Amino acid sequence: MTVDTAPVAPVTAPPAPPRARRRRVRPGRLGVHVFLMTVSLAFLAPLLLAVYASLRPYDETSKYGYFSLPKHLSFDYYKQAFSDSGMTKYFVNTMIIAVPGVLVTLFLASFVAFAVSRLKLRGGIVLLMLFTAGNLLPQQVIVTPLYVLFNRIPLPYWMSDSMTMFDSYWAVILVHIGFQIGFCVFVLANFMRTLPQEILEAAIVDGAGVWTQYWRITLPLCRPALAALATLQFTWMYNDFLWALVFMSDGDKLPVTSALNNLRGQFFTDYNLLAAGSVIVALPTVLVFLLLQRHFIAGLTLGSSKG
């Protein structure tokens, strides 16, 4: 009895994957990266120097210089800066000014941008140009007229202790809204023009009114642009010092940027302590950017891949 055995095919190893080609770095692209890194370091250098100085004692930097190697690092200046300047009160004052200012600015700007870009209004382009031209007016030109005007506008006592618009949060908020709304209208109007018109046409067929088209359809689609503008507007209003200094005489109502003056002595100024206070003041803007970073980048890059 014989058993037939089929021939066994030899086992061959799988072919080796092809070697990935090394991408050659072009000299022009390398130069662009070097340039961008240099510019980034140039912008970060003052901030890094302030953080470095805030961690060192003043006696050490005065003896060895600010660019010397540290011998002792601590966060004592941060505790002293926060307590000596009374930043808690000034932070609250800044939020009272910045948060309503940002919300009202974005609401009014989005409404005007919707009317200009999505509704067929006569003179819409002229209106958009007027809003944009308002940003070209230097702020210092109208300081004196606004100062006289706010002193003559009466307000009830529950709105202002001075019974006028002057020396109240309302004056600073209105000035911020007036100066920032033009830029927001320009950005949002151009953003809304990129939205498909078929969406509004379908909503109109379903019986949607103007308010529904604006609030429930257009505004949710503008979330990236609104987040980017909210980040910029909060940063600008938060860092403002001119308008609060001009329109407020009560020191307890000033924003947090004025709290740094409390760290300056009459005959001596500890600049390391001042650097620690500056870092504390800058932290909220960094936090807002980190929270809205994804929407901020999406708003900046939206449409970059379109032909």
Side-chain angles (χ1 to χ4, degrees):
M1 182 175 181
T2 61
V3 179
D4 295 335
T5 58
V8 179
V11 179
T12 59
R19 294 184 179 180
R21 296 181 179 179
R22 295 182 179 179
R23 297 181 60 183
R24 296 182 58 184
V25 180
R26 298 179 180 179
R29 190 176 184 85
L30 180 61
V32 170
H33 283 281
V34 172
F35 173 75
L36 293 177
M37 291 177 61
T38 304
V39 174
S40 301
L41 291 177
F43 276 95
L44 288 175
L47 177 61
L48 297 178
L49 181 60
V51 174
Y52 181 54
S54 64
L55 298 175
R56 303 178 62 188
Y58 180 79
D59 297 336
E60 180 179 319
T61 55
S62 62
K63 182 178 180 180
Y64 300 103
Y66 284 95
F67 296 97
S68 59
L69 295 177
K71 297 184 178 180
H72 179 71
L73 298 176
S74 66
F75 292 94
D76 296 338
Y77 273 135
Y78 288 92
K79 300 178 182 178
Q80 183 180 351
F82 192 84
S83 59
D84 291 356
S85 62
M87 284 190 180
T88 303
K89 173 180 63 179
Y90 294 104
F91 271 125
V92 173
N93 295 341
T94 301
M95 293 299 109
I96 293 175
I97 295 173
V99 173
V102 172
L103 295 178
V104 175
T105 300
L106 293 181
F107 173 75
L108 296 179
S110 61
F111 207 80
V112 175
F114 173 79
V116 171
S117 61
R118 311 300 287 180
L119 302 180
K120 296 180 180 179
L121 295 179
R122 293 183 179 180
I125 301 298
V126 177
L127 183 62
L128 181 60
M129 293 175 60
L130 290 177
F131 273 98
T132 307
N135 293 328
L136 304 178
L137 182 66
Q139 299 180 359
Q140 294 79 5
V141 174
I142 62 173
V143 167
T144 303
L146 287 178
Y147 179 85
V148 176
L149 178 64
F150 288 158
N151 273 283
R152 296 182 179 180
I153 297 179
L155 288 179
Y157 180 76
W158 59 272
M159 294 183 64
S160 175
D161 298 338
S162 62
M163 304 293 290
T164 61
M165 185 75 74
F166 179 76
D167 195 21
S168 67
Y169 297 115
W170 302 100
V172 183
I173 293 174
L174 287 178
V175 169
H176 282 309
I177 294 173
F179 269 99
Q180 302 301 333
I181 194 172
F183 173 76
C184 293
V185 168
F186 176 76
V187 174
L188 289 175
N190 289 292
F191 183 87
M192 290 180 182
R193 285 196 178 95
T194 63
L195 301 178
Q197 187 67 26
E198 292 78 8
I199 298 178
L200 288 184
E201 293 176 355
I204 294 173
V205 171
D206 293 337
V210 176
W211 177 258
T212 303
Q213 299 174 34
Y214 161 73
W215 186 257
R216 294 188 177 181
I217 299 176
T218 304
L219 214 58
L221 297 176
C222 297
R223 187 177 301 173
L226 291 173
L229 286 175
T231 306
L232 294 175
Q233 294 299 317
F234 180 82
T235 303
W236 292 339
M237 296 182 187
Y238 180 90
N239 291 328
D240 177 72
F241 181 69
L242 172 65
W243 296 119
L245 187 65
V246 172
F247 299 135
M248 288 185 178
S249 59
D250 189 357
D252 293 334
K253 298 180 181 179
L254 292 174
V256 71
T257 50
S258 63
L260 298 178
N261 286 334
N262 298 336
L263 300 178
R264 301 176 66 94
Q266 183 177 3
F267 303 102
F268 169 74
T269 300
D270 190 342
Y271 290 100
N272 293 26
L273 177 63
L274 194 62
S278 302
V279 174
I280 295 176
V281 170
L283 286 179
T285 56
V286 177
L287 180 62
V288 169
F289 176 77
L290 293 178
L291 292 176
L292 300 177
Q293 180 182 12
R294 180 170 60 89
H295 299 289
F296 181 76
I297 296 176
L300 294 180
T301 59
L302 191 65
S304 59
S305 59
K306 292 182 180 180

